[in-house]
Amino acid sequence: MGWNKEGSTIKAEYLGYEVVGVVLDSRVKYGGKVQYTVKLDEPVMFRWRSEPTDTVLIDEDEVLMDFGVLAEV
C-alpha cells in the first residue's frame, strides 16, 4: 500500500490513546513526513478539552494497523 490511505480504516496511537477511524485526507508535510486526517469511529475526550473530538491528525509513524477500505454493510 502507498502513502495515500484516503478511505482506509486505520488503528493508530494518538497522544497515548489507541484510536480507530477512516482516513479523510493524506498529505506530505514539509520534510517528507506523511500525515493523515482521520475521522474517528468513536469520539475521544482529552483532559485539556471541554468537548470530545472526532477528528485527529495522525503522522505515518503513529499508524499501528491499516485495515484497507472496508465495505459498508
Side-chain angles (χ1 to χ4, degrees):
M1 296 194 155
W3 66 273
N4 187 347
K5 297 187 183 309
E6 291 175 23
S8 292
T9 299
I10 63 169
K11 178 194 270 188
E13 175 84 20
Y14 181 75
L15 300 175
Y17 294 84
E18 264 193 22
V19 295
V20 176
V22 176
V23 176
L24 301 177
D25 183 53
S26 300
R27 75 180 191 103
V28 178
K29 299 187 330 182
Y30 182 76
K33 197 174 203 180
V34 178
Q35 185 178 64
Y36 306 108
T37 303
V38 179
K39 176 79 169 176
L40 302 177
D41 290 348
E42 295 182 22
V44 175
M45 184 71 180
F46 298 110
R47 67 178 188 274
W48 58 87
R49 293 185 55 125
S50 59
E51 296 179 9
T53 185
D54 65 349
T55 306
V56 294
L57 296 174
I58 301 289
D59 287 335
E60 63 185 331
D61 57 353
E62 298 171 324
V63 175
L64 301 173
M65 191 172 296
D66 181 356
F67 300 104
V69 178
L70 302 178
E72 301 250 347
V73 179

